[in-house]
Amino acid sequence: MSNGKRGPLLVILFATLMAGAGNGISIVAFPWLVLQRTGSAFDASIVAMAGTIPLLVATLLAGAAVDYLGRKRVSMISDALSALSVATVPVLALTLGVEAINVAVLACLAALGAFFDPAGMTARETMLPEAATRAGWTLDHANSVYEAVFNLSYIVGPGVGGLLIATLGGINTMWVTAAAFGLSIIAIATLRLEGAGKPDRAALPQGMWAGIVEGLRFVWNTRVLRALAIVDLAATGLYMPMESVLFPKYFADRNEPAHLGWVLMALSVGGLLGALSYAAMSKFSRRRTVMLTAVLTLGVAMTIIAFLPPLPLILVLCAVIGFVYGPIAPIYNYVMQTTAPQHLRGRVVGVMGSLAYAAGPLGLVLAGPLADTAGLHATFLALALPMLLLGVIAVFLPALRDLDRGSAVEI
C-alpha cells in the first residue's frame, strides 16, 4: 500500500485511526474502573490527572525525540510502550487478582500510557507535509482529513469502549486497546517516505535539551504561535475536566456507561464533520473567524450543559462543540507546519502540545473535589463562565490576525 502516491498518507491515516481508537477506549475505561470501585469523582480526577501531568514533559521530549531519532521509529516505539501500559491492567488481574487493580495502580498505568502517547502522535503529524506532497494534496486538505480521521478514532474508541465495558467489563476492554496500538505499529512498519527515517544530525544541536530550548525559543518568538499556545492552554484546562471527570461522574452515578460513550461519540462525530468541512471552509473563511467562533460557541454550550439538561440536548450540544472545534486542529497544524523549518518541526509540535496540556492537571485537580462537594451543576458552571470570558479576550488578540497572513510574523 505504501508504494503508490497516496500510499504513505493512507498508512499514516490508518495508524492514526488505530492509535486514536486505543486512546479513545482508554478515556472511557480508566475512569470507569475507578468509579466502579470507589464512586468518587476525586479518585477519578486523580487517575485523569495522572494521565495528563506526564503530557507536559512527555510532549516536549516527544518533539525532540522525533527530530533526533526519526519519525517512523518513534511512532512504532511509542505505540509499543502504550500497548504495554494498557495490557498490564488485564495481566495484573489474571496474575494477582482483580483486587490488585486499585486507584494507585490505575493512576500509574494511566501516567505511563500518557507519557508514551505524545511521541507517536507527534511523529505521525510531522510526516504529513511530505506525505501530502507525495499524494498531490494541499496541506490544508491533508490536515483536514488527518484530523477527521483522528476524530473518527474517538468515535470508534469511546463507542466501542462503552459497549465493551457493558459486555466484557472494564478490565478485559484493555485487551482491545492494546490490539489497536499493535495494528498502528504494523501499519507504520510498512511506511516508506522521505524524512521519515534517520534525521540529518548535522542540522540539530548537539544536546537534546539544547534542541528543546531551541524549539521553545522559536515558539515564543513567533507571536501567532505564542498566542495560539496561550489560548489552547486556557481552553484545555477548562474543557478537559468536563470530558475526563464530570461526564464520567454524571453517567457513573446513573449507571449508564453506554450513554457516556454516546456523549463522547457525539463530540467526535461533530469533530469529524467539522474537520472534514475545513478543506472546503478554508477557501472562503478566515482562520481567525473560525477559531473565534469555536471558542465562543464552546463557552455557550458548556454553560447550557451546566444545567444538566436531558440526554438528547446534551448530545446535540456536544455535537455542536465538536463541529466548531473540528477545524481548529487543522489550523494549528497548518500554522506549525508552515512556520517551522523541517529540522525543527517535531520540537515545535512538541512545544505547542506540551503548553496545551499544562493547564490540564490544575483543572482536573480542582474539578474533582468541587464536583464531590458543590455538585456537578456548580462545577460545570465554574468551567463554562471562564470559557466565555476566554472567547471575548481572544477577539481582541492582535496576534491572531496573523492566522490569515501568508506566513507567520515574528517579533
Side-chain angles (χ1 to χ4, degrees):
M1 182 169 66
S2 60
N3 292 327
K5 290 184 177 180
R6 295 184 182 178
L9 184 58
L10 294 177
V11 166
I12 294 169
L13 294 176
F14 177 79
T16 298
L17 178 65
M18 291 297 100
N23 287 322
I25 296 171
S26 298
I27 285 177
V28 177
F30 271 113
W32 192 266
L33 286 171
V34 176
L35 291 165
Q36 193 176 44
R37 281 156 178 73
T38 70
S40 168
F42 178 66
D43 288 344
S45 69
I46 289 176
V47 173
M49 187 170 60
T52 305
I53 290 176
L55 296 176
L56 175 59
V57 175
T59 312
L60 273 176
L61 296 176
V66 168
D67 283 343
Y68 279 77
L69 301 178
R71 295 162 187 169
K72 178 177 175 179
R73 181 187 302 175
V74 168
S75 178
M76 296 173 66
I77 293 173
S78 169
D79 286 338
L81 295 174
S82 294
L84 180 63
S85 69
V86 294
T88 300
V89 173
V91 169
L92 286 176
L94 288 172
T95 57
L96 301 179
V98 177
E99 61 276 5
I101 311 300
N102 54 40
V103 174
V105 169
L106 290 171
C108 289
L109 292 176
L112 287 173
F115 194 83
F116 301 134
D117 287 339
M121 291 187 288
T122 301
R124 289 183 288 272
E125 187 175 317
T126 54
M127 289 188 283
L128 280 178
E130 288 78 14
T133 299
R134 175 82 69 85
W137 289 18
T138 66
L139 196 50
D140 271 329
H141 187 189
N143 281 317
S144 175
V145 175
Y146 171 82
E147 293 298 335
V149 169
F150 187 80
N151 279 281
L152 178 62
S153 72
Y154 279 85
I155 297 172
V156 174
V160 169
L163 294 174
L164 289 176
I165 290 171
T167 54
L168 302 178
I171 292 176
N172 287 330
T173 296
M174 292 301 191
W175 287 121
V176 181
T177 312
F181 285 119
L183 289 173
S184 177
I185 295 169
I186 293 171
I188 293 297
T190 71
L191 183 64
R192 300 293 181 271
L193 181 68
E194 178 187 355
K198 293 182 179 180
D200 179 11
R201 298 301 295 269
L204 300 170
Q206 290 298 316
M208 181 174 287
W209 288 113
I212 292 174
V213 170
E214 184 183 13
L216 284 165
R217 186 181 297 114
F218 184 88
V219 169
W220 182 256
N221 290 335
T222 308
R223 72 174 194 171
V224 65
L225 291 178
R226 184 172 67 236
L228 289 177
I230 292 171
V231 171
D232 204 22
L233 183 149
T236 301
L238 294 170
Y239 171 78
M240 188 175 293
M242 183 180 79
E243 183 174 312
S244 300
V245 175
L246 301 188
F247 276 143
K249 170 65 175 173
Y250 178 64
F251 290 108
D253 287 347
R254 299 161 66 95
N255 194 29
E256 295 172 341
H259 290 180
L260 173 61
W262 293 354
V263 166
L264 298 178
M265 285 175 65
L267 287 164
S268 294
V269 167
L272 170 64
L273 296 176
L276 278 176
S277 70
Y278 177 66
M281 193 184 305
S282 63
K283 298 177 182 178
F284 60 85
S285 296
R286 292 179 176 272
R287 295 186 181 94
R288 176 175 175 269
T289 302
V290 173
M291 181 172 178
L292 294 178
T293 300
V295 179
L296 289 167
T297 302
L298 180 56
V300 173
M302 285 176 63
T303 302
I304 300 174
I305 291 173
F307 293 93
L308 301 175
L311 179 64
L313 182 54
I314 292 178
L315 292 175
V316 170
L317 291 170
C318 288
V320 170
I321 289 173
F323 182 80
V324 297
Y325 247 82
I328 299 304
I331 290 174
Y332 274 55
N333 291 350
Y334 177 88
V335 174
M336 291 186 291
Q337 292 159 356
T338 56
T339 55
Q342 203 267 1
H343 71 277
L344 196 60
R345 194 184 300 159
R347 280 164 288 165
V348 168
V349 173
V351 167
M352 293 291 286
S354 66
L355 292 175
Y357 291 125
L362 179 60
L364 290 168
V365 77
L366 293 176
L370 186 60
D372 284 336
T373 56
L376 288 173
H377 168 64
T379 308
F380 268 117
L381 208 56
L383 299 173
L385 296 181
M387 183 65 74
L388 280 173
L389 179 60
L390 175 65
V392 175
I393 293 173
V395 172
F396 298 98
L397 290 177
L400 294 184
R401 299 186 186 279
D402 294 346
L403 289 171
D404 298 302
R405 298 182 182 179
S407 59
V409 177
E410 298 188 28
I411 61 171

